[in-house]
Amino acid sequence: MKPFAAKLFAPRPSFHLDITPEELSVMQTHGEYWRNLLEKKIAVAFGPVLDPESSWGIALFYAEDDLAAQRIINEDPAKKAGLRFEVYPMGGLVH
């Protein structure tokens, strides 16, 4: 298994301050998805990053290869709702 980092881009800089009820529902399902991956030992950590310039999320996880990592992201409810992700292979992950 190879380590990966995924960055979830918020739809707007103020997302964490003015999230709509519909967006909140998507993000709650998104959180459940990643908690399930934590339980399966696929994900290592995930959460929001409150960058002063913008809000975004990060997830650290393992996958067999780049294609498998992209499949994990493609199944994320936030991705299915249209939010943008970038996925990066990591050289290692210490935990």
Side-chain angles (χ1 to χ4, degrees):
M1 298 289 274
K2 298 177 182 180
F4 290 86
K7 182 176 182 179
L8 167 61
F9 292 85
R12 60 188 173 281
S14 60
F15 184 67
H16 66 285
L17 299 172
D18 59 10
I19 190 168
T20 68
E22 295 81 16
E23 291 168 333
L24 180 59
S25 177
V26 168
M27 296 312 291
Q28 287 171 333
T29 306
H30 160 77
E32 291 168 8
Y33 175 77
W34 283 96
R35 277 188 288 283
N36 183 50
L37 293 175
L38 278 171
E39 290 174 10
K40 293 179 177 179
K41 308 289 188 211
I42 294 169
V44 175
F46 71 94
V49 178
L50 302 180
D51 181 331
E53 300 295 318
S54 182
S55 58
W56 50 279
I58 190 164
L60 305 175
F61 65 101
Y62 288 100
E64 288 291 329
D65 53 30
D66 292 358
L67 186 58
Q70 192 59 56
R71 277 195 303 266
I72 288 169
I73 297 305
N74 289 345
E75 290 300 314
D76 186 311
K79 172 75 171 176
K80 289 181 176 184
L83 276 73
R84 185 170 69 93
F85 282 81
E86 290 180 357
V87 180
Y88 308 96
M90 298 179 65
L93 183 56
V94 179
H95 57 94

